[in-house]
Amino acid sequence: MSREKIMAIEYIRGVSMLGVIGIHTGAYSLSNPKVNIHLFALLEIITRFSVPIFFFVSAFGLFITQDLTAKLNYSSFLIRRLRTVLLPYIVWSILYMLHYTFVSGDTMIWHPPLLYEFAFFGLASYQLYFLVILLWFYTFMPLWRTLVRSIIKHPIRNLGILLLLQMLFNYYSSYILHANFSNHYLNKLIFHRTSYWIFHYVFIFLFGAVCAVEYVKFKEAIKCYRSYIKTFFSISLAGMLLFYYYLVYTLNYTPEAAVNTDHQLSPIGILYTLSSTVFLFMLFSKDRLPEGIQKLLGSLGEHSYVVYLVHPLVMYYLASYLSVRNLLMTAPTTIMFYLTTVIISLTFAIFIKKIGKFIPVISLLLTGSKLSKPKSGV
């Protein structure tokens, strides 16, 4: 199966990228004491599937061309993945740390133990933790192959059990576990657990792997159960929003506190991620989509890696611009902030890809892929 033919994955990646930018825009909108709670819900609640679904996409891409009966060349696999993820992670971490030192004058982050914490937990910028978790998933690839071989023997039953275990674990991690141990280092490991614990996303990763291995059956099931998928998506989305508004209006949570409770690791958040994944795959598996939407989502999907890596930097300078001019993050300003971030980040990503064809080392360092120089006369 050629992964290039499965455009639904590319489009999902594009939508997820828009969602991630929405989540981070929502965080900036809190600078307004009278934040619009409905726009905040759009940016922070409806988009909550965005990060987990990237693990689905990553696993799908890994397993779509794999033969589970063949022996895995683990060293070769790991070397390729370290190049595509670890190298950009190191480069972008250094860039963000340099930027932080430049704007703040603080050099403490370059010295132990802070340097080790920044490196291990992805603290150089708030979005880099995704790459840390992805590296852990790659490291345990032999385990995932074994589990997938076992799951596909009885996929519905085994995925159902895994989903239940995931909800129980995430509930414990999100609402019960606290970093209040006597050991300082253990507290650090617990406090930063969402930055490196792959356990939070095992289900959605293995679900992506199973869907890839059983792609023909998965696609057929989507066609047969379209009405159920729509209903599941609608109910889980309603559950996310109702929980959010209940926390805000009934329990008097602040919008920030509400979203820190009603998140992707909550029980309803896990179900919403699952329903969104299947719903979007169903939506984008249609034979025809409007051409403009195809181009937009295709471009966002193609350049999502660099957009993901650079957009916090873009947001920092946009927020600084608004601050200098004493502009509050009102609803219209927040929307413009979001759109401007998308446009600038996407433009930067396209530029990097173009320049990377002439200076391959730039593409290698920033994206982990080395583009070929264009042939003479082309």
Side-chain angles (χ1 to χ4, degrees), residues 82-303:
L82 289 178
R83 186 196 70 183
T84 57
V85 178
L86 180 59
L87 180 59
Y89 170 71
I90 293 172
V91 171
W92 281 94
S93 293
I94 292 173
L95 289 175
Y96 274 105
M97 290 170 71
L98 286 171
H99 176 261
Y100 171 77
T101 300
F102 173 75
V103 298
S104 69
D106 182 9
T107 61
M108 290 298 295
I109 60 173
W110 298 96
H111 303 285
L114 276 180
L115 179 61
Y116 302 146
E117 290 184 27
F118 271 58
F120 189 78
F121 299 125
L123 302 181
S125 183
Y126 50 78
Q127 89 284 19
L128 294 178
Y129 79 93
F130 171 80
L131 300 186
V132 175
I133 297 177
L134 201 56
L135 285 168
W136 282 113
F137 271 121
Y138 291 157
T139 300
F140 292 104
M141 187 61 178
L143 172 61
W144 311 133
R145 284 168 54 90
T146 300
L147 289 175
V148 170
R149 281 195 292 265
S150 177
I151 290 171
I152 60 177
K153 294 177 182 178
H154 302 283
I156 303 299
R157 183 196 68 186
N158 292 335
L159 284 172
I161 293 172
L162 185 60
L163 175 61
L164 178 60
L165 292 174
Q166 185 73 82
M167 294 173 72
L168 290 173
F169 175 82
N170 284 7
Y171 184 87
Y172 173 77
S173 176
S174 300
Y175 305 114
I176 299 176
L177 180 61
H178 300 287
N180 54 7
F181 297 91
S182 58
N183 187 290
H184 170 76
Y185 296 104
L186 179 58
N187 282 335
K188 284 285 185 182
L189 292 173
I190 297 297
F191 181 77
H192 293 295
R193 60 189 178 276
T194 56
S195 296
Y196 72 101
W197 275 11
I198 59 174
F199 310 112
H200 292 122
Y201 300 104
V202 166
F203 169 77
I204 195 65
F205 183 86
L206 289 178
F207 179 63
V210 170
C211 290
V213 172
E214 300 288 355
Y215 176 64
V216 175
K217 294 180 180 179
F218 175 56
K219 193 172 182 179
E220 188 61 31
I222 285 178
K223 290 181 180 179
C224 293
Y225 298 104
R226 294 177 64 89
S227 60
Y228 293 101
I229 292 171
K230 293 177 183 178
T231 301
F232 180 30
F233 172 74
S234 300
I235 292 174
S236 62
L237 173 58
M240 288 288 289
L241 289 171
L242 286 172
F243 188 29
Y244 166 77
Y245 284 115
Y246 169 76
L247 292 171
V248 172
Y249 285 120
T250 303
L251 299 186
N252 297 316
Y253 276 41
T254 65
E256 182 178 13
V259 80
N260 286 336
T261 304
D262 184 18
H263 49 63
Q264 69 267 25
L265 300 183
S266 67
I268 186 61
I270 296 171
L271 294 176
Y272 179 55
T273 293
L274 175 59
S275 70
S276 299
T277 301
V278 181
F279 176 77
L280 289 173
F281 209 106
M282 178 192 74
L283 186 65
F284 296 141
S285 293
K286 292 181 178 180
D287 294 332
R288 291 184 180 181
L289 286 173
E291 186 176 351
I293 293 178
Q294 288 186 43
K295 288 183 178 180
L296 174 61
L297 294 180
S299 182
L300 282 168
E302 179 185 355
H303 300 97

